[in-house]
Amino acid sequence: MHQDELRRGQWLEEEDESLVMIIAMLGERRWDALAKASGLRRSGKSCRLRWLNYLRPNLKHGHITAGEEHLIIQLQKQFGNKWSKIAEQLPGRTDNEIKNYWKSHLRKKALTYKQESFGSNTSNSEQQSSTLKSDTVPSSHSDDSFSGKGDCSSADSLAYSSNDTTLLDWIPSWSYEQSRMEHHMYFCSSNLCFCYPP
DNA sequence: AATGTCTCCAACCGCTGTAAT
DNA sequence: CATTACAGCGGTTGGAGACAT
């Protein structure tokens, strides 16, 4: 009876193998059909996620490097919480991975920085906190500023984040150009730069 | 050593956008 | 044009392991 119920939770090695095999045969599409064809008692959605976040070839599974962290910070400042967009710039990393990293590592850094700077500049912090109250990125805001025809100079005006402290709060001294330079120092020097324009 | 708390990350959920019919 | 199905995205949750007491 319960045979037909979908499985949830951690994936087993056998499930991974079956999924890889069926994707090799059918390709990365029609996830519901693919899930059924595989014989796995998983939803198509679950299969897709497992593939994209874990099984896909060329994924990096190691720690986020300092250079990647730097880039994430910069891109988050630029794009807000558009994790998939950020992930595009970090080959081998998934949006989920970046999102998790942001929440667990970088948010903490942001808060620490904020606390440190709080004592020295109260009025400024108050002003910043009022900016943060909006909690999430107003969609129109992000889209509009962004459609800036690739004009990244507008990035500095994107003083927002999700419910977290914006990076602009803790790296206030970073200009976009500065960060861009640093990013290039990290990546371009080792032919790892995928940013655009190059 | 036992227990409680915290952190991290894989996986899920709900919503939106888009393509197909 | 309306409806439906699918794909993708961002936010959230829950479990496992690490760490503190």
Side-chain angles (χ1 to χ4, degrees):
Chain A
M1 173 65 189
H2 295 291
Q3 290 278 9
D4 291 327
E5 284 181 13
L6 293 176
R7 254 182 60 76
R8 297 171 55 152
Q10 296 291 113
W11 279 68
L12 305 173
E13 210 171 309
E14 306 92 84
E15 290 180 305
D16 283 344
E17 286 167 10
S18 301
L19 184 58
V20 168
M21 207 149 48
I22 200 76
I23 289 173
M25 283 159 50
L26 303 178
E28 298 174 49
R29 59 200 167 81
R30 301 296 303 272
W31 292 102
D32 281 333
L34 191 143
K36 279 180 191 147
S38 69
L40 293 168
R41 285 168 26 231
R42 296 276 185 177
S43 68
K45 220 171 176 177
S46 179
C47 290
R48 175 185 165 270
L49 208 64
R50 182 64 178 171
W51 172 255
L52 291 177
N53 289 339
Y54 194 80
L55 299 172
R56 197 159 41 111
N58 304 322
L59 280 180
K60 292 182 194 168
H61 292 293
H63 289 119
I64 302 276
T65 65
E68 286 174 321
E69 179 182 305
H70 209 88
L71 185 54
I72 291 168
I73 291 167
Q74 185 52 47
L75 291 168
Q76 205 279 343
K77 183 162 72 165
Q78 186 180 348
F79 294 133
N81 293 357
K82 300 290 177 192
W83 306 115
S84 58
K85 212 165 176 64
I86 293 171
E88 284 173 15
Q89 308 298 316
L90 286 139
R93 300 295 184 187
T94 67
D95 55 349
N96 208 32
E97 197 175 8
I98 293 168
K99 180 170 60 181
N100 282 335
Y101 189 76
W102 175 263
K103 294 223 171 206
S104 56
H105 293 81
L106 301 179
R107 178 176 60 177
K108 212 183 329 179
K109 286 189 185 181
L111 290 172
T112 306
Y113 178 87
K114 217 186 171 197
Q115 280 167 1
E116 282 171 2
S117 59
F118 184 75
S120 59
N121 195 349
T122 311
S123 59
N124 190 29
S125 299
E126 278 172 8
Q127 201 172 10
Q128 285 172 345
S129 66
S130 65
T131 313
L132 291 169
K133 274 185 188 143
S134 57
D135 192 40
T136 49
V137 183
S139 56
S140 59
H141 173 56
S142 57
D143 289 341
D144 291 348
S145 347
F146 242 53
S147 61
K149 318 297 180 221
D151 179 11
C152 298
S153 63
S154 63
D156 282 346
S157 67
L158 296 176
Y160 61 73
S161 175
S162 60
N163 26 0
D164 306 328
T165 308
T166 168
L167 259 291
L168 288 178
D169 289 344
W170 65 285
I171 343 180
S173 59
W174 277 14
S175 69
Y176 174 75
E177 286 306 323
Q178 230 176 327
S179 304
R180 190 179 157 84
M181 285 283 286
E182 288 173 19
H183 160 61
H184 276 268
M185 283 169 68
Y186 271 113
F187 290 93
C188 297
S189 60
S190 49
N191 292 324
L192 287 173
C193 183
F194 294 87
C195 62
Y196 57 90

